[in-house]
Amino acid sequence: MFEHPQALQSAQHVLDAYEAVQAELPALRRLLGDDDPRIRAATAYLLGWFPEEAEGSVAALRTLLESEAVIGVLANAVVSAGLLSDAELVPRLRELLRGSEPLLRWAAGIALAQLNVIEPEVIGVLAAASADPPKADVEPAVHFLDGDLRGYASQTLAMLDDRIPPETVGAVVEGLSRTSEIAAFTTTAAALRLTFPGGAPRPLPSFAELTEPQQRVVRVLAELSPETWRWANFTSIMQNWHLPNRHAECRAYAGLDVLG
């Protein structure tokens, strides 16, 4: 199933592709001025993946943010600016965080957290997006995490670990309860990281020995749809946390009736 030489060759091809795109970034940045907002959004998203080229990309993104009016383009540019550690944009990001546009509030929250601006307002925006994310049906789309706004917000909170209040964990678990299938993957990993901060339980304790937040997340996972549990990606996450990775077993562990 696994050929080491083939895996190394594949990894080399990925690196070659990355370096080939990196070499073209000076030319690609010009596409931030393209007439098509879809091109501008895709370019803004692309720049966030190349921290080695942050200096030039940050300057180009700042210019874009000064004049851009299309929300989808702005959202991609804001997240990339955060990933590229553009701390000088913090005042502008705070403005967006307090604005009326939900998608831009989400993007600003993501970017500020990436810049280690861990303020109650930032946490609040990300918690709200984890439970009830803004609508993602804008054009052009948000490209990060394939437009999974809830997953990206939850994942960002999970990276903050013990710097977030307990009620924020509840928002992530609430959001998890509203997911299914592919949309559940990222939020599941985030919820488990937040509720099991010491890592995967080993050996698995009895359900009664879990903390209340841990019991809640396990119940939520057990109550996700059978279609979600058919995905190997999902059951692998459960296995990584040493939790029951079969639906019936998880429901039994949580004291729930086993589905027929």
Side-chain angles (χ1 to χ4, degrees), residues 1 10 13 78 102 107 132 136 145 152 190 201 210 214 228 231 238 243 248:
M1 294 293 293
S10 177
H13 290 164
V78 164
D132 187 18
L145 207 59
Y152 208 154
L210 299 179
Q214 290 170 346
T228 302
W231 285 87
M238 298 293 290
L243 294 170

Side-chain angles (χ1 to χ4, degrees), residues 7-33:
L8 285 177
Q9 185 180 45
S10 177
Q12 185 62 54
H13 290 164
V14 171
L15 180 60
D16 290 346
Y18 183 90
E19 292 177 342
V21 176
Q22 181 181 350
E24 297 299 325
L25 280 190
L28 290 170
R29 289 190 194 107
R30 299 183 198 133
L31 295 176
L32 291 175

